[in-house]
Amino acid sequence: MVSNEWIARKGKRLSFYARGVALDAAPYFLFETRLRGLRPRLEEILAGESGLSERVAYYNHMQPGELPPEARPISRIARGKSYYFYDLKIPAKHFGRSRRVNYVFGDVTSVPPQPALVKSRPISDDNANSVLFKLDRLRHFDVNVLADTRPFRDKKPAAVWRGSLNNKKRTTLVTGYADHPSCDIGHVSRSRDPAGAKSFLTIEEQLAYRYIVSVEGFDVATNLKWIMSSRSLCFMPRPNYETWYMEGSLQPGVHYVGLRDDFEDLGDKIAYYNDNVGEAEEIVANANAHFRRFLDRKDEELCQLAVLYKYFRLTGQL
């Protein structure tokens, strides 16, 4: 049976490609003309005089410097990863054909030797060469956010997780809690050990639980955004990587419930928040507020353009 979530994903994919193809074919001068009108707003953001200034400074805190040889003209951005191509190419067209940009597509888990636009980066004090950009947004940001109308108190007082076993941390979670009485935790990796394997659960089915566990995969956890948009409480270890969603700014006990990397405290945390529902609901409210920061389409576009504007300025191209 085809789920509503599957239909929604297919529809968004078709819309994404249709829009991308159309905008990629549009003349550059239309984008450049539009940028001239937006330039005062972008200058305001970079000067720290806008509500978006903090976000842009977070994404792009690179140092001034020369472009590396591998930087490409905007007109020659690689099409290999189409999701990434359209996410970068369309905003970049505002700056013309010939300006050059360095970028790394894919799941990036290390800091490039030269400043580059990336989807993800390590959370550290030494990641200035990783300039975060809103890449692969169809998977990570255009998520199927369902209207979660069920109050936290009416949900099952248990924790849920489904995902693939693509790292040791996820295996540890499943090994320790597949049979725990306060959990519905299991993996959906059919090619792996059948121990801990459970049936797939839709987002809607997972939202029936009070607690939804989020565990990083190859880089960030894809489910984090829709969990934080819901009335369920996010449980997760402190993240190691971040994207446009600014995972590194999230605080345990404020936006989510922190877990140990070995998950030994999961059972105790479930019991604690079942006894302290009001505290749980405060954390959920803070998570929802963080999620709403990314919903204004005009602000999101201005942020992206400001990140690029700063990049081109710091590389001597503006």
Side-chain angles (χ1 to χ4, degrees):
M1 180 178 176
V2 177
S3 69
N4 291 334
E5 290 178 23
W6 185 89
I7 294 172
R9 284 198 300 271
K10 291 297 182 182
K12 285 183 177 180
R13 184 175 299 176
L14 289 173
S15 176
F16 173 85
Y17 278 116
R19 178 180 181 276
V21 170
L23 291 176
D24 186 33
Y28 277 83
F29 78 86
L30 294 177
F31 295 85
E32 294 174 272
T33 300
R34 185 166 180 267
L35 181 68
R36 284 195 288 272
L38 293 172
R39 190 180 290 261
R41 294 287 308 279
L42 300 180
E43 292 283 0
E44 180 182 277
I45 292 171
L46 296 190
E49 300 170 356
S50 164
L52 300 177
S53 300
E54 181 182 355
R55 283 183 60 188
V56 172
Y58 187 95
Y59 297 138
N60 184 349
H61 51 275
M62 61 180 281
Q63 297 299 311
E66 296 182 359
L67 278 168
E70 58 267 28
R72 292 191 178 201
I74 291 169
S75 61
R76 294 180 54 209
I77 293 173
R79 290 178 174 269
K81 290 181 177 288
S82 56
Y83 288 174
Y84 292 79
F85 169 77
Y86 289 119
D87 286 340
L88 177 56
K89 179 70 178 295
I90 304 310
K93 286 185 71 172
H94 289 79
F95 297 88
R97 301 176 59 91
S98 59
R99 287 191 174 90
R100 295 166 58 211
V101 60
N102 191 29
Y103 57 88
V104 181
F105 286 166
D107 298 333
V108 180
T109 57
S110 60
V111 178
Q114 300 292 334
L117 300 175
V118 295
K119 180 201 80 176
S120 54
R121 70 186 180 195
I123 297 172
S124 72
D125 295 329
D126 188 25
N127 61 10
N129 281 350
S130 298
V131 179
L132 288 177
F133 205 66
K134 197 172 184 179
L135 299 175
D136 200 9
R137 65 178 176 83
L138 191 61
R139 181 181 180 206
H140 289 274
F141 290 92
D142 291 354
V143 293
N144 295 322
V145 177
L146 304 179
D148 186 10
T149 59
R150 186 179 310 180
F152 177 84
R153 296 167 187 259
D154 294 345
K155 295 172 181 263
K156 299 176 186 178
V160 65
W161 182 81
R162 288 294 189 277
S164 59
L165 297 182
N166 55 20
N167 62 41
K168 182 179 179 180
K169 192 173 292 186
R170 291 183 170 196
T171 301
T172 299
L173 172 65
V174 172
T175 301
Y177 290 92
D179 299 318
H180 193 282
S182 295
C183 298
D184 182 1
I185 287 174
H187 71 84
V188 293
S189 300
R190 295 181 179 180
S191 61
R192 299 298 184 98
D193 191 323
K198 293 188 178 180
S199 60
F200 174 81
L201 292 180
T202 65
I203 293 175
E204 186 173 10
E205 289 170 330
Q206 293 181 61
L207 291 178
Y209 293 80
R210 285 184 179 179
Y211 314 109
I212 304 178
V213 182
S214 184
V215 188
E216 290 179 321
F218 293 116
D219 50 18
V220 296
T222 308
N223 68 351
L224 179 61
K225 288 87 171 178
W226 62 257
I227 298 172
M228 293 184 65
S229 74
S230 75
R231 293 187 176 186
S232 294
L233 181 58
C234 179
F235 279 15
M236 71 173 179
R238 188 180 291 274
N240 296 305
Y241 304 104
E242 63 182 348
T243 65
W244 188 262
Y245 195 62
M246 303 169 66
E247 287 89 346
S249 70
L250 300 176
Q251 301 176 50
V254 177
H255 302 98
Y256 67 96
V257 173
L259 296 176
R260 288 173 39 168
D261 286 346
D262 60 9
F263 302 100
E264 288 291 330
D265 54 349
L266 176 55
D268 291 339
K269 293 292 177 70
I270 293 171
Y272 176 83
Y273 285 101
N274 278 339
D275 290 337
N276 295 273
V277 172
E279 187 175 337
E281 290 173 329
E282 288 181 11
I283 299 174
V284 170
N286 293 333
N288 293 167
H290 182 85
F291 179 82
R292 287 194 296 271
R293 299 180 71 183
F294 304 89
L295 296 182
D296 188 303
R297 292 192 176 187
K298 291 183 179 180
D299 282 354
E300 288 296 285
E301 184 184 29
L302 280 172
C303 269
Q304 292 176 81
L305 292 176
V307 168
L308 288 173
Y309 195 90
K310 184 175 182 179
Y311 174 86
F312 290 126
R313 175 175 287 179
L314 292 174
T315 54
Q317 299 183 79
L318 277 178

